[in-house]
Amino acid sequence: MADMTAANAIAPLTALTEEERMFQAATREFAEKEIRPHVEPMDREGVFRHELMDTFFEQGFMGLEVPEPYGGSGGSFFMAILAIEEFSRVDASAGVVIDVQNTLVNNALQRWGSEAQKQKFLPRLVRDTVGAYALSEPNAGSDAFALATRARPEGDHFILNGRKLWITNAKEAGLFIVFATVDPALGYKGITAFLIERDTPGFSVGKKEDKLGIRASSTCELILEDCPVLRANALGEVGKGYKVAMETLNEGRIGIGAQMLGVARGALEHAIAYAKERKQFGHPIADFQAIQFQLARLATEAEAARLMTYNAARLKDAHLPFMKEAAMAKYFCSQVAERVASECLEVYGGYGFTKDYPAEKYLRDSKIGKIYEGTSFMQLQTIAKLILA
Ligand SMILES: Cc1cc2nc3c(=O)[nH]c(=O)nc-3n(C[C@H](O)[C@H](O)[C@H](O)COP(=O)(O)OP(=O)(O)OC[C@H]3O[C@@H](n4cnc5c(N)ncnc54)[C@H](O)[C@@H]3O)c2cc1C
């Protein structure tokens, strides 16, 4: 029989260390106190509050995994996932701000940056510089490596020309990781990642999208017109940008799983509170078994989403393979978020259909989970490849 003594027992997926528990509680309190009051106006106006972003920096949320010598909090990937979940429970836009900064930008720089690049950029990303991650283009979405942005070598520079679309955080960002090809004839082997500062000549941020959900999170076009970038600002090897993109996005997907988990939890908590208050037929609607079963089913789905997300994050921190689990977590959590948010809206009856209650915002915010960092079909493609290999 297996030895089940405490020392040998494997911790349950939802068990947190003391440090993680304290961090989670502090993050939840921060989200309630600092983010919650601004959620409705930020969503209505489609603008992220500048002062709130400053607080994210002050409280260390923009450099969660960055090692302390670079000014960061020196935390784990799992802690970043907890923060994204807690922020998104209150506001998915706030969740994606820290998600892109931590799981894509800081992560790519930590993993692929030269020591000089890390010394130069990581302390700024931790302190006051928002980062953005620019892969997609008007004609290269799911087929991201069909990108057309060109990087032409010229002396100790590359000259970049092209357009990027849908870039999260672009309005506020000071540093951009931009993917371009040094030679389209090389296919994906020409793709290279570059670190571009906002004030670089020939670089500009274009139109901001007016979106259905995560409205406070900025999504903009980038324009590169004869934009000179030092060779020293290539991130990773020239021609290996596809590896930078693929490997960072594998991790990023767990972040989107956490964002969607937060959305599902937030929607559910509001619906449970409402069901206890709202009376029909002389009873709170939570007394009706149909409502009880609906909420119980949704809570079960959210719990499954949590297990998948935490498992993928723990695998990543343990340096074990996690690509399949990350794709599954993102795929599943985005489905759960949409279903939970939609059915929670119905718990409110007609009131859920108005902007007087938060239910409709959770539903709008849930839609993006199936789209960015690889659509649901792209996740299924990854999962299928891995299980059929
Ligand atoms: C709010 C928002 C924020 C974003 N932030 C960023 C960002 O920060 N950085 C960045 O680089 N990008 C970002 N994106 C872009 C996002 O990653 C792309 O929108 C996404 O990858 C899908 O690409 P697409 O929009 O071109 O759709 P398409 O690729 O044109 O897909 C259209 C439909 O066709 C399906 N499809 C495509 N190919 C296949 C196939 N082979 N088999 C089956 N179905 C297929 C898709 O699943 C989808 O349903 C963002 C997008 C949005 C909306």
Side-chain angles (χ1 to χ4, degrees), residues 133-136 141-142 166-168 211 214 219 368 371-373 375 377-378 381:
Y133 187 89
L135 179 62
S136 304
S142 299
W166 313 116
I167 307 310
T168 300
K211 309 192 297 294
I214 55 163
T219 311
I368 192 59
I371 299 172
Y372 58 13
E373 296 203 26
T375 64
F377 284 148
M378 293 302 105
Q381 194 179 72

Side-chain angles (χ1 to χ4, degrees), residues 276-349:
K276 287 182 184 169
E277 270 170 28
R278 171 71 175 169
K279 285 197 173 141
Q280 290 292 281
F281 301 98
H283 290 274
I285 59 170
D287 283 359
F288 304 133
Q289 199 175 49
I291 296 283
Q292 290 173 3
F293 282 11
Q294 185 179 26
L295 292 172
R297 192 167 39 75
L298 299 177
T300 306
E301 292 198 28
E303 185 64 10
R306 184 203 302 270
L307 297 178
M308 291 184 79
T309 305
Y310 285 13
N311 185 46
R314 293 283 194 212
L315 287 173
K316 197 260 165 205
D317 274 339
H319 307 289
L320 292 166
F322 64 87
M323 196 198 290
K324 184 183 71 187
E325 289 78 5
M328 286 177 166
K330 185 200 181 263
Y331 171 71
F332 186 71
C333 293
S334 56
Q335 282 191 331
V336 167
E338 189 186 304
R339 203 156 46 229
V340 170
S342 176
E343 291 197 33
C344 282
L345 185 151
E346 291 165 26
V347 169
Y348 285 75

Side-chain angles (χ1 to χ4, degrees), residues 186-222:
L186 293 175
Y188 73 92
K189 288 186 177 161
I191 293 168
T192 307
F194 294 93
L195 291 159
I196 304 185
E197 294 185 66
R198 191 183 186 103
D199 58 3
T200 307
F203 177 86
S204 56
V205 175
K207 180 178 153 256
K208 179 172 161 289
E209 305 296 339
D210 186 5
K211 309 192 297 294
L212 171 76
I214 55 163
R215 289 178 46 76
S217 154
S218 68
T219 311
C220 311
E221 179 187 26
L222 305 183

